[in-house]
Amino acid sequence: MARYELVKRSVALITLTNPPVNALSSAVRHAMAKSMERALNDPKVTAVVICGENGRFCGGADIREFAGPLRGPPLVPLLDAIEAGQKPVVAAIEGVALGGGFELALVCHYRIAHFKARLGLPEVTLGLLPAAGGTQRLPRLIGIPAALEMITTGRHLSAQEALKLGILDQVTEQNTCEVAVEFALRAVGKPLSSRRVSMLTTPCTPDLDALLEAVTMQVKKKARGVMAPLACIQAVRAAATMPYSKGIKRESELMATLFNSGQAQALQYCFFAQRTAGKWTLPNGAQWNNSKPREIRSAAIIGLGTMGRGIVVSLARVGISVIAVESEKKLLETGKQMVIGMLERDAKRRGVSASLNLLKFTLSLQDLKDVDLVIEAVFEDMALKKRVFQELSKVCRPATVLCTNTSGLDVDALAGVTDRPHLVVGMHFFSPAHVMKLLEVVCGPRSSSETIATAMSLGKRMGKVSVAVGNCPGFVGNRMLKPYLDQATFLLEEGATPEQVDKALEDFGFAMGVFRMSDLAGLDVGWRIRKESGLTGPDVDPKNPPRRRQGRRYCPVPDMICEQGRFGQKTGRGWYMYDKPGGTNAKPDPLIQNLLEMYRSRYGIQPRNISDQEIIERCLFALANEGFRILEDGIAARPEDIDVIYLFGYGFPRHRGGPMFYASMVGLERVLQRLEHYHQANPDVPHLEPSPLFKKLVACGSPPVQKWREHIKTMHSHL
Ligand SMILES: CC(C)(COP(=O)(O)OP(=O)(O)OC[C@H]1O[C@@H](n2cnc3c(N)ncnc32)[C@H](O)[C@@H]1OP(=O)(O)O)[C@@H](O)C(=O)NCCC(=O)NCCSC(=O)C[C@@H](O)CCCCCCCCCCCCC(=O)O
């Protein structure tokens, strides 16, 4: 867990050995304490260098240990002892120094880093604060404003930035350990008191209160209801106003309030869920670590609408040659100008040059004959998509992987019209595709493991969080959206307003309530899908009761809104009104209020007061219930996958962990009771009927979300 060597006859080299990130587990802390004691007590040793194995200094405390009782030597006294020691200690930082790893570096008397190293205090992203002295030492070293920014955002710094801020003493392109050993030898005999960061006086910040107030407002706005950034601010205030001995106590008190909080549990769950989600498995045993992806050097995108453009940008900025295809010259030219503009802005922001030379624009599918992979992003129309796939079968070489960006159509039906169904897979991007991190990789029953591995690995290369899902209408994300949207519109029928529903969801933590989100996405898309599926429009039998379709409760209000040409932000009117078409400032619209009042009176609905609790329960419990059905159907392999999809694709608040984790935090039994209650009141809403898996989990004593998979195993899997 820590290797001890004597190098250059007098330098103790202590290497943390806890792969993959040398986290400070109990065993590592124990080994470090022993190694430091040995070094400080050995008269031959004049200096110490601390480094990490495999080119990684340290990824911080072992987060997995936070789930159980804390054991082993506590970190703070261990770090204080390193700083107080009488021999110079140098941190040799390669790879990462994060969280407790960065705090370890801060107690060393000198810090040398490799030029590619990254440093930071990401505890806030885990619902915590840096509690091994980080909130007290960093402000003393670099001042309150810079420390506040680092601690409240959790941002990683490059070695160059850390050098400029005064965190590092040297950045090197050579072997960091060797440079650190030489540095340590030169430091022998020099006074150490000014190198002990805890002994420094925090640089004075003019108008400290105003600064802290401004940052508080900023974090409250950015992360509504999230506790950790506010606790971080209080801890940093202590560094400005208290001696280290008192400040460290304040840090520890604040950490104690966060440590066992539901938010910390949710955020730590998200950290692991995100990593678990990439680990896909098929029923035939093929999985992420035994399936080799194809190398993708060139790709083609068909369709230069909003999605297509975003996908082109995502591919080109990671160095993949892209051929973009449109059906008409005018559309091609518009798409081309948009893509170039997007790439140029993106490159400017990242301080690199735009990779325009990788792009080719064409009207001819014939130009795709040699590409490694094609992503179809044409209009959401099955007949059109089938024609494209038939054409691609003829044009592309037999090994080309064919992907569809459909947001819910049958991927296998598309595979079926090609000469290579095993090479067909869904790559469902989220709009705007160059910004949104989520990618659903839709595995058809005939998609080969190599094809799935290729799509997953391409997603990762583009910086996406890729989740493998099964093939069913709407896949995971959009399938779950339906019950969520249905509940929201039923609540309008019963007496709520769009702004009331949105406010309840935004207070819960969503960046945007469901109606504002629908306005942003465009209301016409759902309207067209409802028309195609016979739920509205001329095909509906006039004798059909207006508020029932296909034997279920149906709310026609969204159709009525669309019939008035209100398609959301793009038309300047939707559930809200906007200053102009394309405007983003949503204001409640009295016309919608009137429409709802008239609608209720036409159907004899007595409006009632609806509580925020009911809004949250009906929308989110219905969402989770569909998630259970998705698990039952084998469309998602585990609850973590569903949560990751909702976190990255639908703005579910991260500090709530995702819909499935949230249900488990509320308590499955309680959620079940509430669903049964709402289902009793709405027997014609099947989405409110608790799913069999849900009931089974409650019957098994409501195991934690990480254990649900054990109860799903026996069920039919598409993954
Ligand atoms: C490091 C990374 C940037 C690497 O990224 P990369 O993409 O290369 O790799 P992966 O992310 O896929 O990770 C590989 C693998 O490693 C696992 N892992 C990564 N980091 C950790 C970790 N810190 N702990 C455990 N496991 C980790 C990851 O899960 C992968 O595993 P897999 O099985 O999937 O292969 C990147 O990984 C990264 O960003 N890591 C997290 C970095 C981080 O956030 N660090 C901060 C950790 S928190 C911390 O350090 C706290 C400190 O301030 C110390 C505080 C002292 C504690 C005091 C406790 C006081 C409690 C008081 C309360 C008392 C109340 C009571 O009485 O109850």
Side-chain angles (χ1 to χ4, degrees):
M1 292 290 148
R3 201 170 48 242
Y4 185 96
E5 295 158 81
L6 194 64
V7 296
K8 300 266 174 176
R9 289 207 204 100
S10 65
V11 179
L13 179 64
I14 300 174
T15 309
L16 308 184
T17 55
N18 184 18
V21 302
N22 299 319
L24 297 167
S25 64
S26 152
V28 170
R29 298 196 303 275
H30 189 75
M32 263 184 60
K34 286 191 78 167
S35 299
M36 271 314 291
E37 198 185 328
R38 184 170 162 192
L40 294 177
N41 289 332
D42 183 344
K44 286 197 293 301
V45 173
T46 56
V48 182
V49 169
I50 301 179
C51 63
E53 187 142 87
N54 291 338
R56 278 180 162 169
F57 183 70
C58 175
D62 186 338
I63 308 165
R64 287 187 201 276
E65 284 186 354
F66 292 167
L70 293 173
R71 296 204 175 87
L75 198 53
V76 171
L78 171 63
L79 298 192
D80 281 348
I82 295 175
E83 189 188 57
Q86 297 303 322
K87 298 178 183 177
V89 183
V90 181
I93 302 168
E94 292 177 320
V96 288
L98 297 174
F102 183 63
E103 291 170 300
L104 168 61
L106 285 179
V107 300
C108 295
H109 305 113
Y110 300 95
R111 289 162 288 277
I112 315 279
H114 190 255
F115 76 111
K116 286 191 177 158
R118 288 182 296 139
L119 301 91
L121 290 170
E123 284 87 341
V124 70
T125 64
L126 300 169
L128 304 174
L129 54 73
T135 66
Q136 302 307 299
R137 285 194 176 87
L138 191 61
R140 286 176 162 77
L141 188 63
I142 64 172
I144 299 281
L148 254 185
E149 195 271 333
M150 271 185 75
I151 294 171
T152 56
T153 63
R155 186 169 72 86
H156 295 186
L157 263 51
S158 66
Q160 288 73 13
E161 199 179 345
L163 182 69
K164 264 194 214 143
L165 279 172
I167 293 170
L168 296 174
D169 297 287
Q170 190 179 327
V171 172
T172 180
E173 292 191 18
Q174 291 156 17
N175 182 312
T176 315
C177 274
E178 285 172 16
V179 173
V181 168
E182 294 303 326
F183 194 103
L185 285 169
R186 288 198 300 277
V188 174
K190 291 192 182 154
L192 288 178
S193 55
S194 66
R195 306 299 313 178
R196 295 191 176 105
V197 178
S198 71
M199 313 273 283
L200 303 178
T201 306
T202 307
C204 181
T205 309
D207 225 346
L208 176 70
D209 285 337
L211 172 70
L212 296 177
E213 184 56 30
V215 179
T216 303
M217 300 300 285
Q218 214 173 302
V219 301
K220 277 188 175 166
K221 193 168 164 213
K222 200 168 146 215
R224 197 191 310 211
V226 185
M227 292 154 49
L230 299 174
C232 288
I233 295 172
Q234 291 185 49
V236 172
R237 176 191 282 277
T241 55
M242 293 177 183
Y244 176 78
S245 58
K246 286 204 172 139
I248 194 85
K249 283 201 186 110
R250 183 78 185 114
E251 179 187 271
S252 150
E253 284 161 15
L254 288 161
M255 175 66 150
T257 60
L258 298 176
F259 195 74
N260 293 318
S261 67
Q263 292 195 3
Q265 286 174 48
L267 288 161
Q268 287 160 38
Y269 164 81
C270 292
F271 175 84
F272 290 115
Q274 192 175 332
R275 280 148 184 87
T276 306
K279 297 178 179 164
W280 56 275
T281 307
L282 296 182
N284 65 10
Q287 57 184 40
W288 62 282
N289 55 2
N290 64 16
S291 307
K292 201 165 175 282
R294 298 236 184 123
E295 197 184 338
I296 302 298
R297 292 206 190 94
S298 60
I301 305 302
I302 306 181
L304 278 179
T306 313
M307 289 306 288
R309 286 177 224 146
I311 301 171
V312 173
V313 170
S314 304
L315 288 164
R317 71 181 168 197
V318 295
I320 296 173
S321 304
V322 190
I323 304 180
V325 190
E326 250 305 348
S327 54
E328 287 172 31
K329 206 166 172 202
K330 197 165 166 230
L331 293 175
L332 185 72
E333 196 46 41
T334 314
K336 179 176 173 179
Q337 294 314 323
M338 301 283 266
V339 165
I340 289 173
M342 285 156 76
L343 268 174
E344 281 175 344
R345 282 191 296 278
D346 179 75
K348 192 171 169 201
R349 196 174 42 78
R350 293 191 296 141
V352 295
S353 52
S355 37
L356 302 181
N357 57 334
L358 293 173
L359 302 178
K360 181 174 170 185
F361 295 86
T362 179
L363 290 169
S364 168
L365 283 182
Q366 295 300 326
D367 288 344
L368 310 191
K369 60 181 189 310
D370 291 326
V371 294
D372 297 326
L373 177 139
V374 181
I375 303 175
E376 162 280 305
V378 302
F379 204 59
E380 199 69 351
D381 171 336
M382 187 49 127
L384 172 63
K385 285 183 191 281
K386 277 189 173 169
R387 281 201 299 280
V388 169
F389 272 76
Q390 277 163 342
E391 201 57 33
L392 288 172
S393 256
K394 287 187 214 146
V395 167
C396 298
R397 62 189 169 83
T400 302
V401 176
L402 304 182
C403 311
T404 171
N405 176 50
T406 175
S407 57
L409 298 177
D410 185 352
V411 171
D412 195 45
L414 292 173
V417 301
T418 70
D419 60 347
R420 64 194 84 183
H422 63 293
L423 291 182
V424 176
V425 71
M427 287 185 81
H428 177 208
F429 291 81
F430 287 70
S431 184
H434 60 302
V435 176
M436 294 291 283
K437 296 272 284 179
L438 181 65
L439 175 71
E440 280 184 327
V441 171
V442 188
C443 312
R446 291 180 273 180
S447 311
S448 73
S449 53
E450 188 191 25
T451 305
I452 296 167
T454 303
M456 291 292 285
S457 130
L458 181 60
K460 193 167 180 191
R461 193 167 156 200
M462 287 187 279
K464 305 289 176 201
V465 177
S466 310
V467 185
V469 299
N471 182 34
C472 72
F475 317 130
V476 171
N478 286 346
R479 171 169 161 182
M480 285 172 71
L481 208 51
K482 174 149 175 40
Y484 175 61
L485 291 173
D486 277 355
Q487 286 306 312
T489 50
F490 294 159
L491 286 161
L492 296 188
E493 289 184 315
E494 292 166 37
T497 59
E499 36 296 1
Q500 186 196 353
V501 173
D502 280 355
K503 181 168 182 316
L505 291 166
E506 286 161 18
D507 286 348
F508 177 82
F510 278 93
M512 234 182 237
V514 60
F515 292 109
R516 285 219 294 142
M517 185 191 78
S518 304
D519 271 0
L520 174 67
L523 305 181
D524 49 328
V525 184
W527 190 35
R528 188 163 35 78
I529 294 171
R530 292 194 295 279
K531 281 194 275 194
E532 277 165 15
S533 42
L535 288 168
T536 189
D539 295 345
V540 178
D541 182 349
K543 283 191 240 119
N544 196 90
R547 296 179 53 228
R548 279 183 80 79
R549 294 288 187 281
Q550 299 163 358
R552 302 168 176 201
R553 177 172 173 183
Y554 180 79
C555 173
V557 175
D559 304 327
M560 292 160 63
I561 303 243
C562 287
E563 280 155 18
Q564 296 181 9
R566 301 179 69 115
F567 294 161
Q569 280 188 13
K570 60 185 164 192
T571 56
R573 295 281 185 277
W575 292 107
Y576 292 90
M577 60 181 182
Y578 301 84
D579 310 337
K580 54 178 191 283
T584 52
N585 187 12
K587 291 199 200 99
D589 190 340
L591 287 179
I592 293 289
Q593 191 61 37
N594 286 345
L595 182 144
L596 287 172
E597 278 165 19
M598 280 164 52
Y599 173 85
R600 291 180 198 123
S601 84
R602 187 185 331 155
Y603 294 113
I605 304 168
Q606 189 60 44
R608 60 185 176 87
N609 282 331
I610 295 173
S611 68
D612 286 357
Q613 183 186 341
E614 179 173 346
I615 294 172
I616 295 299
E617 287 184 350
R618 280 181 52 186
C619 292
L620 300 189
F621 294 175
L623 186 70
N625 194 32
E626 191 61 19
F628 283 111
R629 288 189 204 285
I630 282 173
L631 291 171
E632 252 162 36
D633 294 350
I635 294 298
R638 39 189 172 230
E640 287 90 339
D641 293 359
I642 296 177
D643 283 335
V644 165
I645 288 172
Y646 262 75
L647 293 170
F648 287 95
Y650 298 85
F652 200 97
R654 204 172 161 90
H655 66 283
R656 305 279 192 176
M660 309 316 283
F661 183 84
Y662 176 64
S664 80
M665 286 297 269
V666 172
L668 294 189
E669 206 166 339
R670 158 105 188 139
V671 178
L672 183 67
Q673 274 170 7
R674 299 306 293 156
L675 270 175
E676 279 167 346
H677 164 82
Y678 292 123
H679 187 233
Q680 249 167 27
N682 297 276
D684 55 353
V685 182
H687 284 133
L688 289 174
E689 183 178 7
S691 83
L693 172 64
F694 194 169
K695 290 187 192 157
K696 182 177 165 192
L697 289 170
V698 173
C700 296
S702 302
V705 69
Q706 294 85 351
K707 301 254 178 215
W708 292 0
R709 198 165 154 76
E710 291 164 22
H711 300 268
I712 308 166
K713 259 187 201 154
T714 52
M715 299 192 176
H716 179 62
S717 170
H718 290 265
L719 285 167

